[in-house]
Amino acid sequence: MLRERRDGCAAGGRASVFLLADQPSHSKEESMTKAETVYTRVEEMIAAGTSKADAFKKLAEEYGQPTNSIRGLFYTWSKNQNPDRPSRTRRRETTPEDARSDARRVFERAIEQVDAEVEAAKHRSDEAKAEYDALKASATERKAGIQQGLDTLT
């Protein structure tokens, strides 16, 4: 609900209005930051099977911005969502323990990546199976329609 100020006028003689605190000034979509919007859109595109690089390029075209700007927004938002994640620290020297720890993280990420690849392949397989079933189910009807068209030509 909009209300006028008590005095009725602001500087310059214009009436001032404001929103009550319990009323949002924007919808949820409007109140999302650009970084949040970019992050959400990229994640949706990745879930749909688009590569991250292609998602960055597509959004860059939509926003009319360089791809690196979109990439920066994505990673800025991503980093802000995981504040407890340890930042990369520069080491003055690498100890054997550090090297083992780094190697362990690389292998753990590789295992996670394999799982993600398997899940993506399953998703594509399910989509292909659904397309196959739909084509198979409609094949007789489509063939009959084509044959009918062929018969009218002769």
Side-chain angles (χ1 to χ4, degrees):
M1 176 176 176
L2 299 175
R3 291 193 181 158
E4 271 192 274
R5 287 181 45 170
R6 272 208 172 127
D7 62 8
C9 293
R14 286 181 262 151
S16 174
V17 291
F18 60 91
L19 291 172
L20 295 177
D22 63 342
Q23 294 178 329
S25 61
H26 301 288
S27 69
K28 169 71 174 143
E29 211 169 271
E30 291 173 340
S31 65
M32 289 174 63
T33 64
K34 187 172 183 181
E36 183 180 4
T37 303
V38 165
Y39 180 84
T40 304
R41 298 268 320 274
V42 169
E43 288 297 320
E44 289 170 354
M45 290 178 185
I46 291 170
T50 305
S51 72
K52 197 178 283 187
D54 289 340
F56 291 149
K57 288 176 189 172
K58 182 175 182 192
L59 286 178
E61 289 173 11
E62 285 181 23
Y63 285 113
Q65 290 188 296
T67 304
N68 286 340
S69 295
I70 300 299
R71 186 180 299 117
L73 288 168
F74 176 85
Y75 287 114
T76 297
W77 182 259
S78 175
K79 184 177 180 182
N80 290 340
Q81 295 311 297
N82 299 314
D84 298 333
R85 181 178 173 211
S87 60
R88 293 183 182 179
T89 57
R90 292 189 175 201
R91 298 185 191 129
R92 298 210 182 267
E93 62 181 60
T94 301
T95 64
E97 181 62 31
D98 291 337
R100 282 191 294 274
S101 177
D102 291 346
R104 181 179 310 279
R105 277 196 298 273
V106 167
F107 285 120
E108 288 170 348
R109 276 191 232 120
I111 289 171
E112 291 170 3
Q113 185 61 36
V114 168
D115 290 341
E117 290 169 356
V118 168
E119 186 62 33
K122 179 171 180 0
H123 180 71
R124 290 191 309 270
S125 172
D126 292 345
E127 287 178 344
K129 173 81 167 93
E131 181 183 11
Y132 166 77
D133 290 342
L135 288 172
K136 185 177 179 184
S138 66
T140 304
E141 183 180 321
R142 290 184 297 125
K143 285 180 184 179
I146 293 169
Q147 186 62 49
Q148 195 175 29
L150 186 61
D151 290 344
T152 60
L153 294 175
T154 56

Coordinates of all heavy atoms in Angstrom, one line a residue, residues 53-117:
A53 N 30.4 -23.9 -21.4 CA 31.0 -22.9 -22.3 C 29.9 -22.3 -23.2 O 29.8 -21.1 -23.5 CB 32.2 -23.4 -23.1
D54 N 29.1 -23.3 -23.8 CA 28.0 -22.8 -24.7 C 27.0 -22.0 -24.0 O 26.4 -21.1 -24.5 CB 27.4 -24.1 -25.4 CG 28.3 -24.7 -26.4 OD1 29.3 -24.0 -26.8 OD2 28.1 -25.9 -26.7
A55 N 26.7 -22.4 -22.7 CA 25.7 -21.6 -21.9 C 26.2 -20.2 -21.7 O 25.5 -19.2 -21.9 CB 25.5 -22.3 -20.6
F56 N 27.5 -20.0 -21.4 CA 28.1 -18.7 -21.3 C 28.0 -17.9 -22.6 O 27.6 -16.7 -22.5 CB 29.6 -18.8 -20.9 CG 29.8 -19.3 -19.5 CD1 31.0 -20.0 -19.2 CD2 28.9 -19.1 -18.4 CE1 31.3 -20.5 -17.9 CE2 29.2 -19.5 -17.2 CZ 30.4 -20.2 -16.9
K57 N 28.3 -18.5 -23.7 CA 28.2 -17.8 -25.0 C 26.8 -17.4 -25.3 O 26.5 -16.3 -25.8 CB 28.7 -18.8 -26.1 CG 30.2 -19.0 -26.1 CD 30.6 -19.9 -27.1 CE 32.1 -20.3 -26.9 NZ 32.5 -21.4 -27.8
K58 N 25.8 -18.3 -25.0 CA 24.4 -18.0 -25.4 C 23.9 -16.8 -24.5 O 23.3 -15.9 -25.0 CB 23.5 -19.2 -25.1 CG 22.1 -18.9 -25.5 CD 21.2 -20.2 -25.4 CE 19.8 -19.8 -25.8 NZ 18.9 -20.8 -25.5
L59 N 24.2 -16.8 -23.2 CA 23.8 -15.7 -22.3 C 24.5 -14.4 -22.7 O 23.9 -13.4 -22.6 CB 24.0 -16.1 -20.9 CG 23.1 -17.1 -20.3 CD1 23.4 -17.4 -18.9 CD2 21.6 -16.6 -20.4
A60 N 25.8 -14.5 -23.1 CA 26.5 -13.3 -23.5 C 25.8 -12.7 -24.7 O 25.7 -11.5 -24.8 CB 28.0 -13.7 -23.8
E61 N 25.4 -13.5 -25.6 CA 24.6 -13.0 -26.8 C 23.3 -12.3 -26.4 O 23.0 -11.2 -26.8 CB 24.4 -14.1 -27.8 CG 25.6 -14.6 -28.5 CD 25.3 -15.8 -29.4 OE1 24.1 -16.1 -29.6 OE2 26.3 -16.4 -29.9
E62 N 22.6 -13.0 -25.5 CA 21.3 -12.5 -25.0 C 21.5 -11.1 -24.3 O 20.7 -10.2 -24.5 CB 20.7 -13.4 -24.0 CG 20.0 -14.6 -24.7 CD 19.4 -15.6 -23.7 OE1 19.0 -15.1 -22.6 OE2 19.2 -16.8 -24.0
Y63 N 22.5 -11.0 -23.4 CA 22.8 -9.8 -22.7 C 23.6 -8.8 -23.5 O 23.7 -7.6 -23.0 CB 23.5 -10.1 -21.4 CG 22.6 -10.7 -20.3 CD1 22.8 -12.0 -19.9 CD2 21.5 -10.0 -19.7 CE1 22.0 -12.6 -19.0 CE2 20.7 -10.6 -18.8 CZ 20.9 -11.9 -18.4 OH 20.1 -12.4 -17.4
G64 N 24.1 -9.2 -24.6 CA 25.0 -8.2 -25.4 C 26.2 -7.9 -24.6 O 26.7 -6.7 -24.7
Q65 N 26.8 -8.8 -23.9 CA 28.0 -8.6 -23.1 C 29.1 -9.6 -23.5 O 28.7 -10.7 -24.1 CB 27.7 -8.8 -21.6 CG 26.9 -7.7 -21.1 CD 26.8 -7.8 -19.6 OE1 26.3 -8.8 -19.0 NE2 27.4 -6.8 -18.9
P66 N 30.3 -9.3 -23.2 CA 31.4 -10.3 -23.5 C 31.2 -11.6 -22.7 O 30.6 -11.6 -21.6 CB 32.7 -9.6 -23.0 CG 32.3 -8.2 -22.9 CD 30.9 -8.1 -22.6
T67 N 31.6 -12.7 -23.3 CA 31.4 -14.0 -22.6 C 32.2 -14.0 -21.3 O 31.6 -14.6 -20.3 CB 32.0 -15.1 -23.5 OG1 31.4 -15.1 -24.8 CG2 31.8 -16.5 -22.9
N68 N 33.3 -13.4 -21.2 CA 34.1 -13.4 -19.9 C 33.3 -12.6 -18.8 O 33.4 -13.0 -17.6 CB 35.4 -12.7 -20.1 CG 36.4 -13.6 -20.8 OD1 36.2 -14.9 -20.9 ND2 37.4 -13.1 -21.4
S69 N 32.5 -11.6 -19.2 CA 31.7 -11.0 -18.2 C 30.6 -11.9 -17.6 O 30.4 -11.9 -16.4 CB 31.0 -9.7 -18.8 OG 31.9 -8.8 -19.2
I70 N 30.0 -12.7 -18.4 CA 29.0 -13.6 -18.0 C 29.6 -14.7 -17.1 O 29.1 -15.1 -16.1 CB 28.2 -14.3 -19.2 CG1 27.5 -13.2 -20.0 CG2 27.3 -15.3 -18.8 CD1 26.5 -12.4 -19.3
R71 N 30.8 -15.2 -17.6 CA 31.5 -16.2 -16.8 C 31.9 -15.6 -15.4 O 31.8 -16.3 -14.4 CB 32.8 -16.6 -17.6 CG 33.5 -17.7 -16.9 CD 34.8 -18.1 -17.7 NE 34.5 -18.6 -19.1 CZ 34.9 -18.0 -20.2 NH1 35.6 -16.9 -20.1 NH2 34.6 -18.4 -21.3
G72 N 32.3 -14.4 -15.4 CA 32.7 -13.8 -14.1 C 31.5 -13.7 -13.2 O 31.6 -13.9 -12.0
L73 N 30.3 -13.3 -13.7 CA 29.1 -13.2 -12.9 C 28.8 -14.6 -12.3 O 28.4 -14.7 -11.2 CB 27.9 -12.7 -13.7 CG 27.9 -11.2 -14.1 CD1 26.9 -10.9 -15.1 CD2 27.7 -10.4 -12.8
F74 N 28.9 -15.6 -13.2 CA 28.5 -17.0 -12.8 C 29.4 -17.4 -11.6 O 29.0 -17.9 -10.6 CB 28.7 -18.0 -13.9 CG 28.5 -19.4 -13.6 CD1 27.2 -19.9 -13.5 CD2 29.6 -20.2 -13.2 CE1 27.0 -21.3 -13.2 CE2 29.4 -21.5 -12.9 CZ 28.1 -22.1 -12.9
Y75 N 30.8 -17.3 -11.8 CA 31.7 -17.7 -10.7 C 31.7 -16.9 -9.5 O 31.9 -17.4 -8.4 CB 33.1 -17.9 -11.3 CG 33.2 -19.1 -12.2 CD1 33.4 -18.9 -13.6 CD2 33.0 -20.4 -11.7 CE1 33.5 -20.0 -14.4 CE2 33.1 -21.5 -12.5 CZ 33.3 -21.3 -13.9 OH 33.4 -22.4 -14.7
T76 N 31.3 -15.6 -9.6 CA 31.2 -14.7 -8.5 C 30.0 -15.2 -7.6 O 30.2 -15.4 -6.4 CB 31.0 -13.3 -8.9 OG1 32.1 -12.8 -9.6 CG2 30.7 -12.4 -7.7
W77 N 28.9 -15.5 -8.3 CA 27.7 -15.9 -7.5 C 28.0 -17.3 -6.9 O 27.7 -17.6 -5.8 CB 26.5 -16.0 -8.4 CG 25.3 -16.4 -7.7 CD1 24.7 -17.7 -7.7 CD2 24.5 -15.7 -6.8 NE1 23.7 -17.7 -6.8 CE2 23.5 -16.5 -6.2 CE3 24.6 -14.3 -6.3 CZ2 22.6 -16.0 -5.3 CZ3 23.7 -13.9 -5.4 CH2 22.7 -14.7 -4.9
S78 N 28.7 -18.2 -7.7 CA 29.0 -19.5 -7.2 C 29.8 -19.5 -6.0 O 29.6 -20.2 -5.0 CB 29.7 -20.3 -8.3 OG 30.1 -21.5 -7.9
K79 N 30.8 -18.6 -6.0 CA 31.8 -18.5 -4.9 C 31.0 -17.9 -3.6 O 31.2 -18.4 -2.5 CB 32.9 -17.5 -5.2 CG 34.0 -17.4 -4.1 CD 35.1 -16.6 -4.6 CE 36.2 -16.4 -3.5 NZ 37.3 -15.6 -3.9
N80 N 30.1 -17.0 -3.9 CA 29.4 -16.4 -2.8 C 28.4 -17.4 -2.1 O 28.0 -17.2 -1.0 CB 28.6 -15.1 -3.2 CG 29.5 -14.0 -3.5 OD1 30.7 -14.0 -3.1 ND2 29.1 -13.1 -4.3
Q81 N 28.0 -18.4 -2.9 CA 27.1 -19.4 -2.3 C 27.8 -20.4 -1.4 O 27.1 -21.2 -0.7 CB 26.3 -20.1 -3.5 CG 25.4 -19.2 -4.2 CD 24.5 -18.4 -3.3 OE1 23.7 -18.9 -2.6 NE2 24.7 -17.1 -3.4
N82 N 29.1 -20.5 -1.5 CA 29.9 -21.4 -0.7 C 30.9 -20.7 0.1 O 32.1 -20.9 -0.1 CB 30.6 -22.5 -1.6 CG 29.6 -23.3 -2.4 OD1 28.6 -23.7 -1.9 ND2 29.8 -23.4 -3.7
P83 N 30.5 -19.9 1.0 CA 31.5 -19.1 1.8 C 32.4 -19.9 2.7 O 33.5 -19.5 3.0 CB 30.6 -18.1 2.6 CG 29.3 -18.8 2.7 CD 29.1 -19.6 1.5
D84 N 32.0 -21.1 3.0 CA 32.8 -22.0 3.9 C 33.9 -22.7 3.1 O 34.8 -23.3 3.7 CB 31.9 -23.0 4.6 CG 30.9 -22.3 5.6 OD1 31.2 -21.1 6.0 OD2 29.9 -22.8 5.8
R85 N 33.7 -22.7 1.8 CA 34.7 -23.4 1.0 C 36.1 -22.7 1.1 O 36.2 -21.5 1.0 CB 34.3 -23.3 -0.5 CG 35.2 -24.0 -1.4 CD 34.6 -23.9 -2.8 NE 35.6 -24.5 -3.8 CZ 35.7 -24.0 -5.0 NH1 34.9 -23.1 -5.5 NH2 36.6 -24.6 -5.8
P86 N 37.1 -23.5 1.4 CA 38.4 -22.9 1.6 C 38.9 -22.3 0.3 O 38.7 -22.9 -0.8 CB 39.3 -24.1 2.0 CG 38.6 -25.3 1.6 CD 37.1 -25.0 1.5
S87 N 39.5 -21.1 0.4 CA 40.0 -20.5 -0.8 C 41.4 -21.1 -1.1 O 42.0 -21.7 -0.2 CB 40.1 -19.0 -0.5 OG 41.0 -18.7 0.5
R88 N 41.8 -20.9 -2.3 CA 43.1 -21.4 -2.7 C 44.1 -20.5 -2.1 O 44.1 -19.3 -2.2 CB 43.2 -21.4 -4.2 CG 42.3 -22.3 -4.9 CD 42.6 -22.3 -6.4 NE 41.7 -23.1 -7.1 CZ 41.7 -23.3 -8.4 NH1 42.6 -22.6 -9.2 NH2 40.9 -24.1 -9.0
T89 N 45.0 -21.2 -1.4 CA 46.1 -20.4 -0.8 C 47.4 -20.7 -1.6 O 47.6 -21.8 -2.0 CB 46.3 -20.8 0.7 OG1 46.6 -22.2 0.8 CG2 45.1 -20.5 1.5
R90 N 48.2 -19.7 -1.7 CA 49.5 -19.9 -2.3 C 50.5 -20.4 -1.3 O 50.6 -19.9 -0.2 CB 50.0 -18.5 -2.9 CG 49.1 -18.1 -4.0 CD 49.8 -16.9 -4.6 NE 49.0 -16.5 -5.8 CZ 49.4 -15.9 -6.8 NH1 50.7 -15.4 -6.8 NH2 48.6 -15.6 -7.8
R91 N 51.1 -21.4 -1.7 CA 52.1 -22.1 -0.9 C 53.5 -21.6 -1.3 O 53.8 -21.5 -2.4 CB 52.1 -23.6 -1.0 CG 50.8 -24.1 -0.6 CD 50.8 -25.7 -0.6 NE 49.5 -26.2 -0.5 CZ 49.0 -27.1 -1.3 NH1 49.6 -27.5 -2.3 NH2 47.7 -27.5 -1.1
R92 N 54.3 -21.4 -0.3 CA 55.7 -21.0 -0.6 C 56.5 -22.3 -1.0 O 57.4 -22.2 -1.8 CB 56.4 -20.4 0.6 CG 55.7 -19.1 1.0 CD 56.6 -18.1 1.6 NE 56.0 -16.9 2.0 CZ 55.9 -15.8 1.3 NH1 56.4 -15.8 0.1 NH2 55.3 -14.7 1.7
E93 N 56.1 -23.4 -0.5 CA 56.7 -24.6 -0.8 C 55.7 -25.8 -0.7 O 54.7 -25.7 0.1 CB 57.9 -25.0 0.0 CG 57.5 -25.1 1.5 CD 58.8 -25.4 2.4 OE1 59.7 -24.6 2.4 OE2 58.8 -26.5 3.0
T94 N 55.8 -26.8 -1.5 CA 54.9 -27.9 -1.5 C 55.6 -29.0 -0.7 O 56.6 -29.5 -1.0 CB 54.6 -28.4 -2.9 OG1 54.0 -27.3 -3.6 CG2 53.6 -29.5 -2.9
T95 N 54.8 -29.4 0.3 CA 55.3 -30.6 1.1 C 54.7 -31.8 0.6 O 53.7 -31.8 -0.2 CB 54.9 -30.4 2.6 OG1 53.5 -30.5 2.6 CG2 55.4 -29.1 3.2
P96 N 55.3 -33.0 0.9 CA 54.8 -34.3 0.4 C 53.3 -34.4 0.9 O 52.5 -34.9 0.1 CB 55.7 -35.3 1.1 CG 57.0 -34.6 1.2 CD 56.6 -33.2 1.6
E97 N 53.0 -33.9 2.1 CA 51.6 -34.0 2.6 C 50.7 -33.2 1.7 O 49.6 -33.6 1.4 CB 51.5 -33.6 4.0 CG 50.2 -33.6 4.6 CD 49.6 -35.0 4.7 OE1 50.4 -36.0 4.8 OE2 48.4 -35.2 4.6
D98 N 51.1 -32.0 1.3 CA 50.3 -31.1 0.5 C 50.1 -31.8 -0.9 O 49.0 -31.7 -1.4 CB 51.0 -29.8 0.2 CG 51.0 -28.9 1.5 OD1 50.2 -29.1 2.4 OD2 51.9 -28.0 1.5
A99 N 51.1 -32.4 -1.4 CA 51.0 -33.0 -2.7 C 50.0 -34.2 -2.7 O 49.2 -34.4 -3.6 CB 52.4 -33.5 -3.2
R100 N 50.1 -35.0 -1.6 CA 49.1 -36.1 -1.5 C 47.7 -35.6 -1.3 O 46.8 -36.1 -1.9 CB 49.5 -37.0 -0.3 CG 50.7 -37.9 -0.6 CD 50.8 -39.0 0.6 NE 51.3 -38.3 1.8 CZ 52.5 -38.1 2.2 NH1 53.5 -38.4 1.3 NH2 52.8 -37.5 3.3
S101 N 47.5 -34.6 -0.6 CA 46.2 -34.0 -0.4 C 45.7 -33.4 -1.7 O 44.5 -33.7 -2.0 CB 46.3 -32.8 0.7 OG 45.1 -32.2 0.8
D102 N 46.5 -32.7 -2.4 CA 46.1 -32.2 -3.7 C 45.7 -33.4 -4.7 O 44.7 -33.3 -5.4 CB 47.2 -31.4 -4.4 CG 47.4 -30.1 -3.7 OD1 46.5 -29.7 -2.8 OD2 48.4 -29.4 -3.9
A103 N 46.5 -34.4 -4.7 CA 46.2 -35.6 -5.6 C 44.9 -36.2 -5.2 O 44.1 -36.6 -6.0 CB 47.4 -36.6 -5.5
R104 N 44.7 -36.4 -3.9 CA 43.5 -37.0 -3.4 C 42.2 -36.2 -3.9 O 41.3 -36.7 -4.4 CB 43.5 -37.1 -1.9 CG 42.2 -37.7 -1.3 CD 42.3 -37.8 0.2 NE 43.5 -38.4 0.7 CZ 43.8 -39.7 0.8 NH1 42.9 -40.6 0.3 NH2 45.0 -40.1 1.3
R105 N 42.3 -34.8 -3.8 CA 41.2 -34.0 -4.2 C 41.0 -34.2 -5.7 O 39.8 -34.2 -6.2 CB 41.5 -32.5 -3.9 CG 41.1 -32.2 -2.4 CD 41.0 -30.7 -2.2 NE 42.2 -30.0 -2.5 CZ 43.2 -29.8 -1.6 NH1 43.0 -30.2 -0.4 NH2 44.3 -29.1 -1.9
V106 N 42.0 -34.2 -6.5 CA 41.9 -34.4 -8.0 C 41.2 -35.7 -8.3 O 40.3 -35.8 -9.1 CB 43.3 -34.4 -8.6 CG1 43.2 -34.8 -10.1 CG2 43.8 -32.9 -8.6
F107 N 41.6 -36.8 -7.6 CA 41.0 -38.1 -7.8 C 39.5 -38.1 -7.4 O 38.6 -38.7 -8.0 CB 41.8 -39.2 -7.2 CG 43.0 -39.6 -7.9 CD1 44.2 -39.5 -7.3 CD2 43.0 -40.0 -9.2 CE1 45.4 -39.8 -8.0 CE2 44.1 -40.4 -9.9 CZ 45.4 -40.2 -9.3
E108 N 39.2 -37.5 -6.3 CA 37.8 -37.4 -5.8 C 37.0 -36.6 -6.8 O 35.8 -37.1 -7.0 CB 37.8 -36.8 -4.4 CG 38.3 -37.7 -3.3 CD 38.5 -37.0 -2.0 OE1 38.4 -35.7 -1.9 OE2 38.8 -37.7 -1.0
R109 N 37.5 -35.5 -7.3 CA 36.7 -34.8 -8.3 C 36.5 -35.6 -9.6 O 35.5 -35.5 -10.2 CB 37.4 -33.5 -8.6 CG 37.1 -32.4 -7.6 CD 37.5 -31.0 -8.1 NE 38.3 -30.4 -7.0 CZ 39.6 -30.1 -7.1 NH1 40.3 -30.2 -8.2 NH2 40.2 -29.6 -6.0
A110 N 37.5 -36.4 -9.9 CA 37.4 -37.2 -11.1 C 36.3 -38.3 -11.0 O 35.5 -38.5 -11.9 CB 38.8 -37.9 -11.4
I111 N 36.2 -38.8 -9.8 CA 35.2 -39.8 -9.5 C 33.8 -39.1 -9.6 O 32.9 -39.7 -10.2 CB 35.4 -40.4 -8.1 CG1 36.6 -41.4 -8.1 CG2 34.1 -41.2 -7.6 CD1 37.0 -41.9 -6.8
E112 N 33.7 -37.9 -9.0 CA 32.4 -37.2 -9.1 C 32.1 -36.9 -10.6 O 30.9 -37.0 -11.0 CB 32.5 -35.9 -8.3 CG 32.6 -36.1 -6.8 CD 32.9 -34.8 -6.1 OE1 33.0 -33.7 -6.7 OE2 33.0 -34.9 -4.8
Q113 N 33.1 -36.5 -11.4 CA 32.8 -36.2 -12.8 C 32.4 -37.5 -13.5 O 31.5 -37.4 -14.4 CB 34.1 -35.7 -13.4 CG 33.9 -35.2 -14.8 CD 32.9 -34.1 -15.0 OE1 32.8 -33.2 -14.1 NE2 32.2 -34.1 -16.0
V114 N 32.9 -38.6 -13.2 CA 32.5 -39.9 -13.9 C 31.0 -40.1 -13.6 O 30.2 -40.4 -14.4 CB 33.4 -41.1 -13.5 CG1 32.7 -42.4 -13.9 CG2 34.8 -40.9 -14.0
D115 N 30.6 -39.9 -12.3 CA 29.2 -40.1 -11.9 C 28.3 -39.1 -12.7 O 27.3 -39.5 -13.1 CB 29.1 -39.9 -10.4 CG 29.7 -41.0 -9.6 OD1 29.9 -42.1 -10.1 OD2 29.9 -40.8 -8.4
A116 N 28.8 -37.9 -12.8 CA 28.0 -36.9 -13.5 C 27.9 -37.3 -15.0 O 26.8 -37.1 -15.6 CB 28.6 -35.5 -13.4
E117 N 28.9 -37.8 -15.6 CA 28.9 -38.2 -17.0 C 27.9 -39.4 -17.2 O 27.2 -39.4 -18.2 CB 30.3 -38.6 -17.5 CG 31.2 -37.4 -17.6 CD 32.7 -37.9 -17.8 OE1 33.0 -39.1 -17.8 OE2 33.5 -37.0 -18.0

